[in-house]
Amino acid sequence: MTQSTFLKNGLNALLTPEESVLVLIDHQLQFANLHSHEPMMIVNNVIGLAKAAKVFNVPTILTTVVEDRGGKLIQGLQDVFPDQKPIDRTWINTWEDARVVDAVKKTGRKKVVMAALWTEICLAMPAIQAAGDGYEIYAVTDASGGVSVEAHEMGVRRMMMAGVVPMNWLAVASEWQRDWARQESAAALGDAVLPHTGATGTSFAWELQLLGQKAGIGA
């Protein structure tokens, strides 16, 4: 097993669409025991993240765990990728399922963006293992949730100790965009992603207006 030695500062430490792959883990119909965040916030954020990935053509891998008992993927997330069948597994740790690892390897990308339920288990376990396998792991903490605030926070701390970088979903989308002069993706973000950004979306819409782009907020 190799340890990741990727740069944690400088321009190359930022995300680009061309280097990224997104893994969304177990956002199933089991939100009742999510107590670190308001559940609908996590639903909103993970769908916004998925839509951003689609805008930038970032390969996205969907997973579930024991779907017949844990529930299907939430419909709003499945709707972003209607033709994709989530990888259903029995492993608690996604990274121990060879199909998931192979899917990431096939992309040829080393910057792996992850979000999951639950933070302290379904996110922390694969993030820590994948970081040890030499991948650059970015954990999207506001598209993930735990059974308590403490559980979520301890999961994030443990991942950071393993070299995982915590981010929020809108920061991920912003790094993928990087330059507002990229008007095609800016317009697509306005149409698809802005409705998920809450109050932040008003500032985003203003930036797009200044660029002469359709804001799309509230669509």
Side-chain angles (χ1 to χ4, degrees):
M1 182 179 294
T2 60
Q3 295 296 315
S4 176
T5 57
F6 70 92
L7 293 175
K8 294 184 175 62
N9 53 41
L11 187 60
N12 289 335
L14 301 181
L15 294 169
T16 66
E18 296 78 15
E19 296 175 299
S20 299
V21 54
L22 176 63
V23 183
L24 298 178
I25 303 167
D26 304 349
H27 291 88
Q28 296 164 257
L29 300 175
Q30 50 183 321
F31 278 72
N33 201 33
L34 191 159
H35 299 294
S36 61
H37 300 74
E38 203 287 312
M40 286 309 298
M41 186 182 79
I42 301 299
V43 171
N44 174 79
N45 292 351
V46 73
I47 294 173
L49 177 62
K51 287 181 177 180
K54 192 167 187 176
V55 165
F56 292 105
N57 297 312
V58 173
T60 301
I61 299 161
L62 306 175
T63 82
T64 54
V65 60
V66 195
E67 182 186 272
D68 60 345
R69 284 181 288 173
K72 294 184 178 181
L73 200 71
I74 55 174
Q75 191 60 50
L77 183 53
Q78 185 68 75
D79 287 346
V80 181
F81 303 100
D83 299 324
Q84 184 176 157
K85 173 67 176 174
I87 298 173
D88 191 46
R89 58 182 209 288
T90 59
W91 288 100
I92 295 175
N93 176 8
T94 303
W95 208 254
E96 290 188 74
D97 190 304
R99 295 170 299 168
V100 177
V101 178
D102 288 345
V104 172
K105 286 181 178 178
K106 285 179 182 177
T107 69
R109 302 176 181 212
K110 301 295 285 186
K111 293 181 184 287
V112 183
V113 181
M114 290 184 178
L117 292 180
W118 310 106
T119 310
E120 65 275 21
I121 300 172
C122 302
L123 179 58
M125 293 171 74
I128 290 167
Q129 183 180 355
D133 288 345
Y135 288 90
E136 303 175 29
I137 308 300
Y138 299 81
V140 189
T141 60
D142 64 346
S144 308
V147 298
S148 68
V149 172
E150 180 181 9
H152 176 79
E153 291 180 351
M154 293 306 103
V156 173
R157 290 189 191 184
R158 186 180 179 203
M159 286 186 285
M160 291 176 66
M161 291 174 68
V164 175
V165 178
M167 296 183 68
N168 66 40
W169 81 271
L170 196 53
V172 173
S174 297
E175 288 190 20
W176 284 341
Q177 174 66 31
R178 196 72 63 84
D179 186 349
W180 291 123
R182 297 170 179 169
Q183 295 190 13
E184 183 177 350
S185 56
L189 284 174
D191 288 335
V193 177
L194 270 185
H196 296 274
T197 60
T200 304
T202 58
S203 297
F204 196 176
W206 183 31
E207 293 287 348
L208 293 177
Q209 178 183 310
L210 293 176
L211 290 167
Q213 297 291 329
K214 177 183 175 183
I217 192 164

